[in-house]
Coordinates of all heavy atoms in Angstrom, one line a residue:
W116 N -2.2 -18.9 8.9 CA -2.4 -18.2 10.2 C -1.0 -17.8 10.7 O 0.0 -18.2 10.3 CB -3.2 -18.9 11.1 CG -2.8 -20.3 11.5 CD1 -3.0 -21.5 11.0 CD2 -1.8 -20.6 12.7 NE1 -2.2 -22.5 11.6 CE2 -1.6 -21.9 12.7 CE3 -1.2 -19.8 13.6 CZ2 -0.8 -22.5 13.6 CZ3 -0.5 -20.4 14.5 CH2 -0.2 -21.8 14.5
Q117 N -1.2 -16.9 11.7 CA 0.1 -16.4 12.4 C -0.2 -16.3 13.9 O -1.2 -16.4 14.4 CB 0.5 -15.0 11.9 CG -0.6 -13.9 12.3 CD -0.2 -12.6 11.7 OE1 -0.3 -12.5 10.6 NE2 -0.1 -11.6 12.4
T118 N 1.1 -16.3 14.6 CA 0.9 -16.3 16.1 C 1.5 -14.8 16.5 O 2.5 -14.4 16.0 CB 1.9 -17.3 16.7 OG1 1.5 -18.7 16.2 CG2 1.9 -17.4 18.2
I119 N 0.7 -14.3 17.5 CA 1.1 -13.0 18.0 C 1.5 -13.1 19.4 O 0.7 -13.7 20.2 CB -0.2 -12.0 17.8 CG1 -0.4 -11.7 16.4 CG2 0.2 -10.6 18.5 CD1 -1.6 -10.9 16.0
D120 N 2.7 -12.5 19.7 CA 3.2 -12.6 21.0 C 2.4 -11.6 21.9 O 2.5 -10.5 21.7 CB 4.7 -12.4 21.2 CG 5.4 -12.4 22.5 OD1 4.6 -12.6 23.4 OD2 6.6 -12.2 22.5
A121 N 1.6 -12.1 22.9 CA 1.0 -11.2 23.8 C 1.6 -11.0 25.2 O 0.9 -11.1 26.2 CB -0.5 -11.5 23.9
R122 N 3.0 -11.3 25.3 CA 3.6 -11.4 26.6 C 3.7 -10.1 27.4 O 4.2 -10.0 28.4 CB 5.0 -12.0 26.5 CG 5.0 -13.5 26.2 CD 6.1 -14.2 26.2 NE 6.6 -14.1 24.8 CZ 7.8 -14.5 24.5 NH1 8.7 -14.9 25.3 NH2 8.2 -14.5 23.2
V123 N 3.1 -9.0 26.8 CA 2.9 -7.8 27.5 C 2.0 -8.2 28.8 O 2.1 -7.5 29.8 CB 2.3 -6.7 26.8 CG1 1.5 -7.1 25.7 CG2 1.6 -5.6 27.5
A124 N 1.1 -9.2 28.6 CA 0.3 -9.6 29.8 C 1.2 -10.3 30.9 O 2.2 -10.9 30.5 CB -0.7 -10.5 29.3
P125 N 0.9 -10.1 32.1 CA 1.8 -10.8 33.2 C 1.7 -12.3 33.2 O 0.6 -12.7 32.7 CB 1.1 -10.1 34.5 CG -0.3 -9.8 34.1 CD -0.2 -9.4 32.7
P126 N 2.5 -12.9 33.8 CA 2.5 -14.4 34.0 C 1.1 -14.7 34.8 O 0.8 -14.0 35.6 CB 3.7 -14.7 34.9 CG 4.6 -13.6 34.7 CD 3.8 -12.4 34.4
G127 N 0.5 -15.7 34.3 CA -0.6 -16.1 34.8 C -2.0 -15.6 34.1 O -3.0 -16.0 34.4
A128 N -1.7 -14.6 33.2 CA -2.8 -14.0 32.4 C -3.4 -15.2 31.6 O -2.8 -16.0 31.0 CB -2.5 -13.0 31.6
Q129 N -4.8 -15.2 31.5 CA -5.4 -16.3 30.7 C -6.0 -15.8 29.5 O -6.5 -16.6 28.5 CB -6.5 -17.0 31.6 CG -5.9 -17.7 32.7 CD -6.9 -18.4 33.6 OE1 -8.0 -17.7 33.8 NE2 -6.7 -19.5 34.1
A130 N -6.2 -14.5 29.3 CA -6.8 -13.9 28.2 C -6.3 -12.4 28.1 O -5.8 -11.8 28.9 CB -8.3 -14.0 28.3
V131 N -6.4 -11.9 26.9 CA -6.1 -10.6 26.6 C -7.3 -9.8 25.8 O -8.0 -10.4 25.2 CB -4.9 -10.3 25.7 CG1 -3.6 -10.7 26.5 CG2 -4.9 -11.2 24.4
S132 N -7.4 -8.5 26.0 CA -8.3 -7.7 25.3 C -7.5 -6.7 24.4 O -6.4 -6.2 24.9 CB -9.3 -6.9 26.3 OG -10.1 -7.8 26.9
G133 N -8.0 -6.4 23.3 CA -7.2 -5.5 22.4 C -8.0 -5.2 21.2 O -9.0 -5.7 20.9
T134 N -7.3 -4.3 20.5 CA -7.9 -3.8 19.1 C -7.3 -4.7 18.0 O -6.1 -4.7 17.9 CB -7.7 -2.3 18.8 OG1 -8.3 -1.6 19.9 CG2 -8.3 -2.0 17.6
L135 N -8.1 -5.5 17.3 CA -7.6 -6.2 16.1 C -8.0 -5.5 14.8 O -9.2 -5.2 14.6 CB -8.3 -7.7 16.2 CG -7.9 -8.7 15.1 CD1 -6.3 -9.0 15.2 CD2 -8.7 -9.9 15.2
T136 N -7.0 -5.2 14.1 CA -7.2 -4.4 12.8 C -6.7 -5.2 11.6 O -5.7 -5.7 11.6 CB -6.3 -3.2 12.9 OG1 -6.7 -2.4 14.0 CG2 -6.6 -2.3 11.7
I137 N -7.6 -5.1 10.7 CA -7.3 -5.8 9.3 C -7.0 -4.6 8.3 O -7.9 -3.7 8.3 CB -8.3 -6.7 8.8 CG1 -8.1 -7.2 7.4 CG2 -9.7 -6.0 8.8 CD1 -8.9 -8.4 6.9
A138 N -5.9 -4.4 7.7 CA -5.6 -3.3 7.0 C -5.2 -3.6 5.6 O -4.2 -4.3 5.4 CB -4.4 -2.4 7.6
G139 N -5.9 -3.0 4.6 CA -5.6 -3.2 3.2 C -5.7 -4.7 2.7 O -4.7 -4.9 1.8
P140 N -6.6 -5.5 3.0 CA -6.7 -6.7 2.4 C -6.8 -6.6 0.8 O -7.4 -5.8 0.3 CB -7.9 -7.4 3.0 CG -8.7 -6.3 3.4 CD -7.8 -5.2 3.7
L141 N -6.1 -7.7 0.2 CA -6.2 -7.6 -1.3 C -7.5 -8.0 -1.9 O -7.9 -7.5 -2.9 CB -5.1 -8.7 -1.9 CG -3.7 -8.3 -1.6 CD1 -2.7 -9.3 -2.3 CD2 -3.4 -7.0 -2.2
R142 N -8.3 -8.8 -1.2 CA -9.7 -9.1 -1.4 C -10.5 -8.9 -0.4 O -10.0 -8.8 0.9 CB -9.8 -10.6 -1.9 CG -8.9 -10.9 -3.1 CD -9.2 -12.4 -3.4 NE -8.8 -13.2 -2.1 CZ -8.3 -14.4 -2.1 NH1 -7.9 -14.9 -3.2 NH2 -8.1 -15.0 -1.0
P143 N -11.8 -8.9 -0.4 CA -12.6 -8.8 0.8 C -12.1 -10.0 1.8 O -11.9 -11.1 1.3 CB -14.0 -8.9 0.3 CG -14.0 -8.5 -1.0 CD -12.7 -8.9 -1.5
G144 N -12.1 -9.7 3.1 CA -11.6 -10.7 4.0 C -12.0 -10.5 5.3 O -12.6 -9.6 5.8
Y145 N -11.4 -11.4 6.3 CA -11.6 -11.2 7.7 C -10.5 -11.7 8.4 O -9.6 -12.3 7.9 CB -13.0 -11.9 8.1 CG -12.9 -13.4 7.8 CD1 -12.4 -14.4 8.6 CD2 -13.5 -13.9 6.6 CE1 -12.4 -15.7 8.5 CE2 -13.6 -15.3 6.4 CZ -12.9 -16.1 7.3 OH -12.9 -17.5 7.0
L146 N -10.5 -11.4 9.8 CA -9.5 -12.0 10.8 C -10.3 -12.8 11.8 O -11.3 -12.5 12.2 CB -8.7 -10.8 11.4 CG -7.9 -9.9 10.6 CD1 -7.1 -8.9 11.3 CD2 -6.8 -10.9 9.8
R147 N -9.7 -13.8 12.4 CA -10.1 -14.6 13.3 C -9.0 -14.8 14.4 O -8.0 -15.2 14.0 CB -10.5 -15.9 12.7 CG -11.2 -16.9 13.6 CD -11.4 -18.3 12.8 NE -12.6 -18.0 11.8 CZ -12.8 -18.8 10.9 NH1 -12.0 -19.9 10.7 NH2 -13.7 -18.6 10.0
A148 N -9.2 -14.5 15.5 CA -8.3 -14.6 16.7 C -8.8 -15.5 17.8 O -10.0 -15.5 18.1 CB -8.0 -13.2 17.4
W149 N -7.9 -16.3 18.2 CA -8.2 -17.3 19.3 C -7.0 -17.7 20.2 O -5.7 -17.3 19.6 CB -8.8 -18.5 18.8 CG -8.1 -19.4 18.0 CD1 -7.5 -20.5 18.4 CD2 -7.6 -19.3 16.5 NE1 -6.8 -21.2 17.4 CE2 -6.7 -20.4 16.3 CE3 -7.7 -18.4 15.7 CZ2 -6.2 -20.6 15.0 CZ3 -7.2 -18.5 14.4 CH2 -6.4 -19.6 14.2
G150 N -7.0 -18.4 21.2 CA -6.0 -18.8 21.9 C -5.1 -20.0 21.6 O -4.6 -20.7 22.4
C151 N -5.0 -20.2 20.3 CA -4.1 -21.1 19.6 C -4.5 -22.7 20.0 O -3.7 -23.5 19.8 CB -2.6 -20.9 20.0 SG -1.9 -19.4 19.5
G152 N -5.7 -22.8 20.4 CA -6.3 -24.3 20.5 C -7.1 -24.5 19.3 O -6.8 -24.1 18.2
P153 N -8.3 -25.1 19.4 CA -9.1 -25.4 18.3 C -9.6 -24.0 17.6 O -9.9 -23.2 18.5 CB -10.3 -26.2 18.9 CG -9.8 -26.8 20.2 CD -8.8 -25.9 20.7
E154 N -9.6 -24.0 16.4 CA -9.9 -22.8 15.7 C -11.4 -22.6 15.7 O -12.2 -23.4 15.4 CB -9.4 -22.8 14.3 CG -9.6 -21.4 13.6 CD -8.9 -21.5 12.2 OE1 -8.3 -22.4 11.8 OE2 -9.4 -20.7 11.4
P155 N -11.8 -21.3 16.1 CA -13.3 -21.0 16.1 C -13.8 -20.9 14.7 O -13.0 -20.7 13.6 CB -13.4 -19.7 16.9 CG -12.0 -19.1 16.6 CD -11.0 -20.1 16.6
S156 N -15.1 -20.9 14.7 CA -15.8 -20.8 13.3 C -16.2 -19.4 12.9 O -16.8 -19.2 11.9 CB -16.8 -21.8 13.1 OG -17.9 -21.5 14.2
T157 N -16.0 -18.4 13.8 CA -16.6 -17.1 13.4 C -15.3 -16.1 13.5 O -14.2 -16.3 13.9 CB -17.4 -16.6 14.6 OG1 -16.7 -16.6 15.9 CG2 -18.7 -17.4 14.8
S158 N -15.6 -15.0 12.7 CA -14.5 -14.0 12.5 C -14.8 -12.9 13.6 O -15.8 -12.8 14.2 CB -14.7 -13.3 11.1 OG -15.9 -12.6 11.0
N159 N -13.6 -12.0 13.7 CA -13.7 -11.0 14.8 C -13.7 -9.6 14.0 O -14.3 -8.7 14.7 CB -12.4 -11.1 15.6 CG -12.3 -12.2 16.4 OD1 -11.6 -13.1 16.1 ND2 -13.0 -12.3 17.5
V160 N -13.3 -9.6 12.9 CA -13.3 -8.2 12.1 C -13.3 -8.6 10.7 O -12.7 -9.5 10.2 CB -12.2 -7.3 12.5 CG1 -10.8 -7.9 12.1 CG2 -12.3 -6.0 11.9
N161 N -14.2 -7.9 9.8 CA -14.3 -8.0 8.5 C -14.0 -6.8 7.6 O -14.3 -5.7 8.3 CB -15.8 -8.5 8.0 CG -16.2 -9.8 8.8 OD1 -15.7 -10.8 8.7 ND2 -17.2 -9.6 9.8
A162 N -13.5 -6.9 6.5 CA -13.2 -5.7 5.7 C -13.2 -6.0 4.2 O -12.9 -7.0 3.7 CB -11.8 -5.1 6.0
P163 N -13.7 -5.0 3.5 CA -13.7 -5.0 2.0 C -12.3 -4.7 1.6 O -11.4 -4.3 2.3 CB -14.6 -3.8 1.5 CG -14.7 -3.0 2.7 CD -14.5 -3.6 3.9
A164 N -12.0 -5.1 0.3 CA -10.7 -5.0 -0.3 C -10.2 -3.5 -0.1 O -10.8 -2.6 -0.4 CB -10.6 -5.4 -1.7
G165 N -9.0 -3.4 0.3 CA -8.2 -2.1 0.3 C -8.6 -1.3 1.5 O -8.0 -0.1 1.7
E166 N -9.5 -1.6 2.4 CA -10.0 -0.9 3.4 C -9.3 -1.3 4.8 O -8.7 -2.4 4.8 CB -11.5 -1.0 3.7 CG -12.3 -0.4 2.4 CD -12.3 1.0 2.3 OE1 -12.2 1.8 3.3 OE2 -12.3 1.6 1.2
A167 N -9.4 -0.5 5.8 CA -9.0 -0.8 7.2 C -10.2 -0.9 8.2 O -10.8 0.2 8.2 CB -7.9 0.1 7.6
F168 N -10.4 -1.8 8.9 CA -11.3 -2.0 9.9 C -10.8 -2.5 11.1 O -9.9 -3.3 11.1 CB -12.6 -2.9 9.4 CG -13.4 -2.2 8.4 CD1 -13.1 -1.8 7.2 CD2 -14.7 -1.9 8.8 CE1 -13.9 -1.3 6.3 CE2 -15.7 -1.3 8.0 CZ -15.2 -0.9 6.7
A169 N -11.3 -2.2 12.2 CA -10.8 -2.7 13.5 C -12.1 -3.1 14.5 O -13.2 -2.7 14.3 CB -10.0 -1.6 14.3
N170 N -11.8 -4.0 15.5 CA -12.7 -4.3 16.3 C -12.1 -4.7 17.7 O -10.9 -5.2 17.7 CB -13.5 -5.5 15.8 CG -14.8 -5.8 16.5 OD1 -15.3 -5.0 17.3 ND2 -15.4 -7.0 16.4
L171 N -12.8 -4.4 18.8 CA -12.3 -4.9 20.1 C -12.5 -6.4 20.3 O -13.5 -6.9 20.0 CB -13.2 -4.2 21.2 CG -12.7 -4.5 22.6 CD1 -11.2 -4.1 23.0 CD2 -13.6 -3.9 23.7
V172 N -11.5 -7.1 20.7 CA -11.4 -8.5 20.9 C -11.1 -8.9 22.2 O -10.0 -8.4 22.7 CB -10.5 -9.1 19.7 CG1 -10.3 -10.6 20.0 CG2 -11.0 -8.8 18.4
T173 N -11.7 -9.9 22.9 CA -11.1 -10.5 24.0 C -11.0 -11.9 23.7 O -12.0 -12.6 23.3 CB -12.1 -10.3 25.2 OG1 -12.2 -8.9 25.6 CG2 -11.6 -11.1 26.5
T174 N -9.9 -12.5 23.9 CA -9.7 -13.8 23.5 C -8.6 -14.6 24.5 O -7.7 -13.8 25.0 CB -9.0 -14.0 22.1 OG1 -9.0 -15.5 21.8 CG2 -7.7 -13.4 21.9
G175 N -8.7 -15.9 24.7 CA -7.7 -16.6 25.5 C -6.4 -16.6 24.8 O -6.1 -16.3 23.7
I176 N -5.4 -16.8 25.6 CA -3.9 -16.9 25.1 C -3.4 -18.3 25.7 O -3.9 -18.8 26.6 CB -3.1 -15.8 25.7 CG1 -3.2 -15.6 27.2 CG2 -3.4 -14.6 25.0 CD1 -2.2 -14.5 27.8
D177 N -2.4 -18.8 24.9 CA -1.9 -20.0 25.3 C -0.9 -19.9 26.4 O -0.6 -18.8 26.9 CB -1.2 -20.8 24.1 CG 0.0 -20.2 23.5 OD1 0.6 -19.3 24.2 OD2 0.3 -20.5 22.4
A178 N -0.3 -21.0 26.9 CA 0.6 -21.1 28.0 C 1.9 -20.2 27.7 O 2.6 -19.8 28.7 CB 1.0 -22.6 28.2
N179 N 2.2 -20.0 26.4 CA 3.4 -19.1 26.2 C 3.0 -17.6 26.0 O 3.9 -16.8 25.7 CB 4.0 -19.6 24.8 CG 4.4 -21.0 24.9 OD1 5.0 -21.4 25.9 ND2 4.1 -21.8 23.9
G180 N 1.7 -17.3 26.2 CA 1.3 -15.9 26.2 C 1.1 -15.5 24.7 O 1.2 -14.3 24.4
S181 N 0.8 -16.4 23.9 CA 0.4 -16.1 22.4 C -1.0 -16.2 22.1 O -1.7 -17.0 22.7 CB 1.3 -16.9 21.5 OG 2.6 -16.7 21.8
L182 N -1.5 -15.6 21.1 CA -2.7 -15.8 20.5 C -2.6 -16.1 19.0 O -1.5 -15.7 18.4 CB -3.6 -14.7 20.7 CG -3.3 -13.3 20.2 CD1 -4.3 -12.9 19.0 CD2 -3.4 -12.2 21.2
C183 N -3.4 -16.8 18.3 CA -3.3 -17.1 16.8 C -4.3 -16.3 16.2 O -5.3 -15.9 16.6 CB -3.5 -18.6 16.6 SG -2.3 -19.7 17.3
V184 N -3.8 -15.9 15.0 CA -4.8 -15.0 14.1 C -4.8 -15.6 12.7 O -3.7 -16.0 12.2 CB -4.4 -13.6 14.0 CG1 -5.1 -12.8 13.1 CG2 -4.3 -12.9 15.4
M185 N -5.9 -15.9 12.1 CA -5.9 -16.4 10.7 C -6.7 -15.3 9.9 O -7.6 -14.6 10.3 CB -6.9 -17.6 10.7 CG -6.9 -18.4 9.4 SD -7.8 -17.7 8.0 CE -9.5 -17.9 8.7
A186 N -6.0 -15.0 8.7 CA -6.5 -13.9 8.0 C -7.1 -14.7 6.6 O -6.4 -15.6 6.0 CB -5.3 -13.0 7.4
R187 N -8.3 -14.3 6.2 CA -8.9 -14.8 5.0 C -8.4 -14.3 3.7 O -8.7 -14.8 2.7 CB -10.4 -14.7 5.1 CG -11.2 -15.2 4.0 CD -11.0 -16.7 3.9 NE -12.0 -17.3 3.0 CZ -11.7 -17.9 1.8 NH1 -10.4 -18.1 1.6 NH2 -12.5 -18.4 1.0
S188 N -7.7 -13.2 3.7 CA -7.0 -12.5 2.6 C -5.6 -12.1 2.9 O -5.4 -11.8 4.1 CB -7.9 -11.4 2.2 OG -7.5 -10.7 1.1
L189 N -4.7 -12.0 2.0 CA -3.4 -11.3 2.1 C -3.6 -10.0 2.7 O -4.3 -9.1 2.1 CB -2.6 -11.3 1.0 CG -1.2 -10.9 1.1 CD1 -0.4 -11.8 2.1 CD2 -0.5 -10.8 -0.1
T190 N -3.1 -9.6 3.9 CA -3.5 -8.3 4.6 C -2.4 -8.0 5.6 O -1.6 -8.8 6.0 CB -4.8 -8.4 5.2 OG1 -5.1 -7.0 5.7 CG2 -4.9 -9.3 6.4
T191 N -2.4 -6.8 6.1 CA -1.7 -6.4 7.3 C -2.5 -6.6 8.5 O -3.6 -6.2 8.5 CB -1.2 -4.9 7.1 OG1 -0.3 -4.8 6.0 CG2 -0.4 -4.5 8.4
T192 N -2.0 -7.2 9.6 CA -2.7 -7.4 10.8 C -2.0 -6.8 11.9 O -0.8 -6.8 12.1 CB -2.7 -9.1 11.1 OG1 -3.1 -9.7 10.0 CG2 -3.4 -9.3 12.3
I193 N -2.9 -6.1 12.8 CA -2.4 -5.4 13.9 C -3.2 -5.8 15.1 O -4.3 -5.8 15.1 CB -2.5 -3.8 13.7 CG1 -1.8 -3.5 12.5 CG2 -1.9 -3.1 14.9 CD1 -2.1 -2.0 11.9
F194 N -2.5 -6.0 16.2 CA -3.2 -6.4 17.5 C -2.6 -5.5 18.5 O -1.3 -5.5 18.8 CB -3.0 -7.8 17.9 CG -4.0 -8.1 19.1 CD1 -5.3 -8.3 19.1 CD2 -3.4 -8.2 20.3 CE1 -6.1 -8.5 20.1 CE2 -4.1 -8.4 21.5 CZ -5.5 -8.6 21.4
D195 N -3.4 -4.5 19.1 CA -2.9 -3.6 20.1 C -3.5 -3.9 21.5 O -4.7 -3.9 21.6 CB -3.4 -2.2 19.7 CG -2.8 -1.1 20.8 OD1 -1.9 -1.3 21.5 OD2 -3.5 0.0 20.8
T196 N -2.7 -4.6 22.3 CA -3.3 -5.0 23.6 C -3.7 -3.9 24.6 O -2.9 -3.0 24.7 CB -2.3 -5.9 24.3 OG1 -1.8 -7.0 23.5 CG2 -2.6 -6.4 25.7
T197 N -4.8 -3.9 25.1 CA -5.3 -3.0 26.0 C -5.5 -3.3 27.4 O -5.7 -2.6 28.3 CB -6.7 -2.3 25.5 OG1 -7.6 -3.3 25.3 CG2 -6.5 -1.5 24.1
G198 N -5.5 -4.8 27.5 CA -5.6 -5.2 29.0 C -5.6 -6.7 28.9 O -5.4 -7.4 27.8
W199 N -5.6 -7.3 30.2 CA -5.5 -8.8 30.2 C -6.4 -9.3 31.4 O -6.8 -8.4 32.3 CB -4.1 -9.3 30.4 CG -3.4 -8.5 31.5 CD1 -3.5 -8.7 32.9 CD2 -2.5 -7.4 31.4 NE1 -2.7 -7.8 33.5 CE2 -2.1 -7.0 32.7 CE3 -2.1 -6.7 30.3 CZ2 -1.2 -5.9 32.9 CZ3 -1.3 -5.6 30.5 CH2 -0.9 -5.2 31.8
W200 N -6.7 -10.5 31.4 CA -7.6 -11.2 32.4 C -6.8 -12.3 33.1 O -6.0 -13.1 32.6 CB -8.8 -11.8 31.7 CG -9.5 -10.7 31.0 CD1 -9.2 -10.4 29.6 CD2 -10.6 -9.9 31.4 NE1 -10.1 -9.4 29.2 CE2 -11.0 -9.1 30.3 CE3 -11.3 -9.8 32.5 CZ2 -11.9 -8.3 30.3 CZ3 -12.2 -8.9 32.7 CH2 -12.6 -8.1 31.6
T201 N -6.9 -12.2 34.5 CA -6.2 -13.3 35.3 C -7.3 -13.8 36.3 O -8.3 -13.2 36.5 CB -5.0 -12.6 36.1 OG1 -5.5 -11.6 36.9 CG2 -3.9 -12.2 35.1
Q202 N -6.9 -15.0 36.9 CA -7.8 -15.4 38.1 C -7.6 -14.6 39.3 O -6.4 -14.1 39.5 CB -7.4 -16.9 38.3 CG -7.7 -17.8 37.3 CD -9.3 -18.3 37.3 OE1 -10.0 -17.5 38.0 NE2 -9.6 -19.1 36.4
P203 N -8.6 -14.4 40.1 CA -8.4 -13.5 41.4 C -7.6 -14.2 42.3 O -7.4 -15.4 42.4 CB -9.8 -13.4 41.9 CG -10.7 -14.5 41.1 CD -10.0 -14.8 39.9

């Protein structure tokens, strides 16, 4: 898995929304994104070998402003932050 810096979100943000893309996996695979705590058991985006697929994801971030992503196949991973969530 890898850690993605989502510090584009302001201090105090608890979650981010964005487009998670899996691009050109060597085998059919998927990406799983979460706030770097216990790993969830579901995927966020799936793709056949060699293809690119994307999905809108909202996930928690850790205290450092990071999210974790696990890839089921060797692939390029892209996360484009489109917004964040804070307490009122």
Side-chain angles (χ1 to χ4, degrees):
W116 59 269
Q117 68 187 57
T118 302
I119 295 177
D120 180 0
R122 282 186 272 177
V123 26
Q129 297 177 322
V131 292
S132 294
T134 304
L135 181 64
T136 304
I137 180 172
L141 293 180
R142 297 181 309 218
Y145 59 83
L146 297 176
R147 182 181 291 162
W149 73 100
C151 297
E154 187 175 345
S156 60
T157 58
S158 65
N159 297 102
V160 61
N161 306 295
E166 299 287 328
F168 280 71
N170 196 14
L171 178 63
V172 173
T173 298
T174 186
I176 53 177
D177 68 12
N179 297 318
S181 298
L182 62 110
C183 289
V184 176
M185 192 281 295
R187 179 67 172 115
S188 177
L189 184 61
T190 188
T191 298
T192 303
I193 303 163
F194 186 78
D195 181 24
T196 304
T197 56
W199 52 81
W200 302 89
T201 61
Q202 289 284 5

